[in-house]
Amino acid sequence: MDVDAFLLTHRGTWDRLDQLIKKRRSLTGAEVDELVELYQRASTHLSMLRSASSDSLVTGRLSSLVARARSAVTGAHAPMTSTFIRFWTVSFPVVAYRTWRWWLATGVAFLVVVAVLAFWVAGNPEVQYAVGTPSEIDELVNHDVESYYSEHPAAAFALHVWLNNSWLAARCIAFAVLLGLPIPFLLLQNAANLGLIAGLMFPAGKGGLLLGLLIPHGLLELTAVFLAGAVGMRLGWSVIAPGDRPRGQVLAEQGRGVVAVAVGLVGVLLVSGLLEALVTPSPLPTFVRIAIGVIAELVFLSYVAYFGRRAAKAGETGDIEDAPDVIPTG
């Protein structure tokens, strides 16, 4: 197919269809009939392009036009409940499931850094002295760490934690536009903070206290952060190595999937924030608080495994329905 000749021949039809879509709320009866006819023509043109041309940019733009025209013609939108259910049973879990190797690797690397740094700090008194004076370290170990979770009202603390963690996850995802390169440094900074605290708490005999404070909310919270970092780095990598598909198509598909993860993690981090505000500082026995955290983590992993695997088998990618083939351009 001569794409240039095809475009020259049908450009007027597509431009007219675009005009009718933009004024769809005030169309006359004749214009509605024209909209339907042009939508059918454009759909045929799209089918021809997809079968005969490898120009992903042209195909993507026409695909977007046809999707908008379909919406205008049918005038039907999925009910909010249907959209909500699809998001939590397909869009979010399938992206998390498809990237499980990335966030598992991210989590392992994070925990290795924490463990190495903790052992280094614990075994080197000179490093501890560089962190603070003995009285400052004593205050941190015996008061500050534990009081952090109980010195503010639960509701305000939950909101604060949720906003902080959501901001961290959002930055991990946003850094995908920089090929994901800043994400490891962001995660390394958080791993260093955790490793430093652990390196001070364990030598002081407060390791059990630290784990009892971190595990109830930290398992779910860190999993969410690992997932955010993983999808951000994976999106950045798709720019470098898109595989055998057009780079724009891969980037658009995965980019929209990343948006689904960003929205889904808001809910996940809300749960971890509530656990941190209500369960971590509660007077419940340590083993009960830890059990609650472990159960929350297992529920999330089971949710991703069940719904994500089911959606992946159905061919879902987490992309939106009727999605264009590439990122829209001006």
Side-chain angles (χ1 to χ4, degrees):
M1 173 187 290
D2 188 334
V3 176
D4 291 334
F6 190 84
L7 290 175
L8 185 62
T9 301
H10 300 293
R11 174 67 68 185
T13 298
W14 302 342
D15 289 344
R16 176 57 179 165
L17 178 58
D18 185 56
Q19 293 174 2
L20 293 174
I21 293 172
K22 290 178 178 178
K23 58 176 295 188
R24 62 185 178 275
R25 298 185 184 278
S26 58
L27 295 177
T28 65
E31 288 175 330
V32 170
D33 292 338
E34 184 183 7
L35 173 63
V36 173
E37 181 183 354
L38 295 181
Y39 159 63
Q40 293 172 340
R41 289 186 193 176
S43 297
T44 301
H45 298 161
L46 178 60
S47 178
M48 295 169 62
L49 270 177
R50 281 177 168 168
S51 62
S53 173
S54 60
D55 191 329
S56 60
L57 182 61
V58 174
T59 303
R61 288 178 174 174
L62 184 56
S63 175
S64 177
L65 178 65
V66 169
R68 290 166 51 221
R70 181 186 301 115
S71 176
V73 167
T74 61
H77 300 276
M80 286 300 295
T81 53
S82 176
T83 302
F84 181 83
I85 292 173
R86 173 179 168 76
F87 176 82
W88 288 107
T89 59
V90 176
S91 303
F92 174 53
V94 76
V95 178
Y97 179 77
R98 285 181 175 273
T99 57
W100 71 267
R101 290 180 179 85
W102 284 79
W103 49 289
L104 177 61
T106 301
V108 169
F110 182 96
L111 295 177
V112 167
V113 171
V114 171
V116 170
L117 187 59
F119 277 110
W120 180 59
V121 173
N124 291 273
E126 62 274 15
V127 176
Q128 299 176 26
Y129 296 147
V131 173
T133 64
S135 61
E136 290 173 337
I137 293 177
D138 182 73
E139 180 71 10
L140 173 70
V141 168
N142 293 299
H143 177 265
D144 292 350
V145 171
E146 186 173 9
S147 65
Y148 170 78
Y149 297 99
S150 57
E151 61 185 4
H152 301 290
F157 184 61
L159 178 61
H160 172 74
V161 169
W162 177 54
L163 291 176
N164 279 350
N165 292 334
S166 296
W167 174 235
L168 173 60
R171 281 185 291 165
C172 287
I173 292 174
F175 282 145
V177 301
L178 299 176
L179 303 183
L181 296 178
I183 296 175
F185 296 101
L186 182 63
L187 295 175
L188 179 62
Q189 181 182 18
N190 285 270
N193 291 335
L194 182 56
L196 176 62
I197 296 297
L200 296 174
M201 294 286 285
F202 275 87
K206 299 288 186 176
L209 172 64
L210 179 64
L211 294 178
L213 292 172
L214 290 180
I215 291 178
H217 66 275
L219 289 176
L220 188 60
E221 177 184 295
L222 287 177
T223 299
V225 172
F226 298 156
L227 177 55
V231 297
M233 289 186 286
R234 184 171 182 254
L235 179 60
W237 181 250
S238 70
V239 178
I240 301 172
D244 57 359
R245 292 192 297 161
R247 179 174 282 103
Q249 182 178 347
V250 174
L251 185 59
E253 177 185 299
Q254 293 191 11
R256 290 186 290 263
V258 166
V259 172
V261 169
V263 175
L265 288 182
V266 171
V268 176
L269 289 171
L270 176 60
V271 174
S272 72
L274 291 174
L275 290 174
E276 188 168 357
L278 301 176
V279 176
T280 297
S282 73
L284 293 171
T286 300
F287 78 91
V288 175
R289 290 186 282 113
I290 289 178
I292 293 173
V294 171
I295 291 172
E297 174 74 356
L298 291 177
V299 167
F300 176 69
L301 294 179
S302 300
Y303 155 75
V304 170
Y306 175 76
F307 288 105
R309 183 187 295 114
R310 187 176 69 172
K313 286 183 178 179
E316 296 283 355
T317 63
D319 201 355
I320 60 175
E321 296 180 295
D322 296 326
D325 291 334
V326 297
I327 296 178
T329 59

